[in-house]
């Protein structure tokens, strides 16, 4: 094997050095942020108890290869994502992969006027959420698979990185196939695969922003971005109909039928 040119070796050495520096910087940031993380967790648990009577700071490993571990969403993130939103009595919100149910608790604490439903694949985690949700008139927890759940009643969807990118894309297709009215769709984890909806018929992006840190306080150990969408199935169907019309071939002439020449006297 011939030796690498000097310029290539120098570039590789510099890239390795830069990588080590970046890793050291990330480690230093994590160590620096630990006290803030701990304080934020304590404040989140205080808010948990005010609303639900128990702590919702819950971690449990994923049961399925396509799912992420169950981790509670910080209240700061929920405030950034949902704090501006207005809801009505007719709204029915589904939290997909709800975990211990902190997003639902956040909305219940804001006196959400409609119905709140959480679906959780892991039955032991769903049981944690059911402990407090059973005391709320408008909160219900379903232990089950979101892909087997009927989506037609819902007007709002919330997902906090509950599934791997490929499954997330399949869930978006399920939403498109089942809903019959405009819905709002909130996705935390947009940095990985939120661009799947970009340019899709019927989808309109309302907001997109980072929530890794809020007012200098670390919310997540890794970069985290959210997006807010509206999906209008009628608009999606209209685009599909227009595309189908434009794809129809022009009327063809049967080669067995002789073409009559135009009469020059007419």
């Amino acid at each position: 094997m011939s030796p690498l040119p000097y310029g290539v070796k120098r570039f590789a050495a510099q890239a390795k050095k830069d990588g080590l520096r970046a890793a050291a910087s990330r480690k230093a940031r994590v160590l620096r942020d630990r006290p803030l993380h701990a304080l934020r967790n304590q404040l989140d648990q205080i808010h948990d108890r005010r609303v639900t009577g128990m702590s919702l700071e819950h971690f449990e490993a994923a049961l399925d290869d396509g799912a992420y571990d169950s981790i509670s969403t910080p209240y700061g993130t929920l405030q950034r994502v949902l704090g501006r939103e207005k809801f009505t009595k007719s709204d029915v919100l589904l939290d997909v992969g709800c975990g211990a149910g902190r997003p639902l608790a956040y909305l219940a604490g804001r006196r959400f006027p409609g119905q709140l439903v959480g679906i959780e694949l892991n039955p032991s985690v769903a049981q944690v959420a059911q402990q407090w949700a059973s005391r709320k008139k408008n909160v219900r927890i379903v232990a089950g698979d979101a892909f087997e759940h009927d989506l037609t009643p819902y007007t709002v969807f919330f997902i906090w990185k509950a599934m791997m990118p490929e499954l997330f894309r399949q869930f978006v297709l399920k939403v498109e196939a089942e809903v019959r009215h405009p819905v709002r769709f909130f996705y935390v984890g947009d940095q990985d695969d939120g661009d799947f909806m970009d340019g899709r018929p019927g989808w309109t992006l309302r907001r997109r922003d980072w929530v890794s840190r809020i007012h200098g306080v670390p919310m997540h150990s890794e970069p985290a971005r959210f997006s807010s969408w509206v999906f209008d199935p009628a608009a999606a169907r209209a685009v599909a109909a227009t595309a189908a019309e434009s794809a129809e071939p022009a009327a063809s002439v049967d080669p067995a039928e002789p073409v009559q020449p135009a009469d020059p006297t007419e």
Side-chain angles (χ1 to χ4, degrees), residues 46-244:
I46 290 171
H47 193 74
D48 285 340
R49 293 186 178 94
R50 286 176 181 168
V51 177
T52 70
M54 58 186 286
S55 171
L56 303 180
E57 191 65 36
H58 187 84
F59 171 83
E60 193 156 335
L63 287 180
D64 188 89
D65 290 340
Y68 285 107
D69 298 335
S70 176
I71 302 174
S72 297
T73 311
Y75 280 106
T77 297
L78 295 169
Q79 176 63 24
R80 175 67 62 87
V81 176
L82 298 170
R84 301 180 185 179
E85 297 298 318
K86 304 296 183 184
F87 300 102
T88 68
K89 289 182 178 180
S90 61
D91 278 318
V92 185
L93 180 144
L94 178 66
D95 182 358
V96 181
C98 66
R102 185 173 280 165
L104 302 174
Y106 168 80
L107 290 166
R110 292 185 61 202
R111 298 184 179 180
F112 187 85
Q115 296 297 309
L116 296 166
V117 181
I119 186 164
E120 172 56 48
L121 183 64
N122 189 326
S124 63
V125 178
Q127 191 173 17
V128 174
Q130 287 167 344
Q131 290 177 24
W132 69 267
S134 61
R135 300 191 296 271
K136 303 288 183 181
K137 291 182 179 180
N138 66 333
V139 183
R140 180 169 62 94
I141 305 298
V142 177
D145 188 340
F147 285 93
E148 298 174 0
H149 192 68
D150 179 16
L151 303 184
T152 54
Y154 299 100
T155 62
V156 186
F157 293 90
F158 178 88
I159 302 182
W160 154 232
K161 204 173 183 181
M163 56 192 77
M164 298 293 180
E166 179 58 34
L167 282 182
F168 172 76
R169 291 191 284 270
Q170 291 179 28
F171 185 77
V172 170
L173 297 179
K174 178 177 169 66
V175 170
E176 292 179 351
E178 293 187 16
V179 302
R180 295 291 179 265
H181 47 257
V183 297
R184 281 180 279 180
F185 192 98
F186 300 93
Y187 183 44
V188 184
D190 175 85
Q191 73 279 0
D192 292 334
D193 44 17
D195 58 353
F196 179 67
M197 287 92 82
D198 289 345
R200 287 189 68 80
W203 290 89
T204 302
L205 178 64
R206 301 170 65 221
R207 294 172 63 207
R208 178 176 268 155
D209 200 1
W210 292 94
V211 288
S212 307
R213 304 178 78 89
I214 298 176
H215 302 305
V217 178
M219 295 291 125
H220 308 275
S221 57
E222 298 294 332
R225 190 176 69 182
F226 84 92
S227 56
S228 166
W229 304 80
V230 168
F231 173 65
D232 185 346
R237 289 193 296 269
V239 172
T242 301

Side-chain angles (χ1 to χ4, degrees), residues 3-15:
L4 292 171
Y6 173 74
V8 174
K9 290 199 299 184
R10 184 177 179 184
F11 176 81
Q14 184 61 46

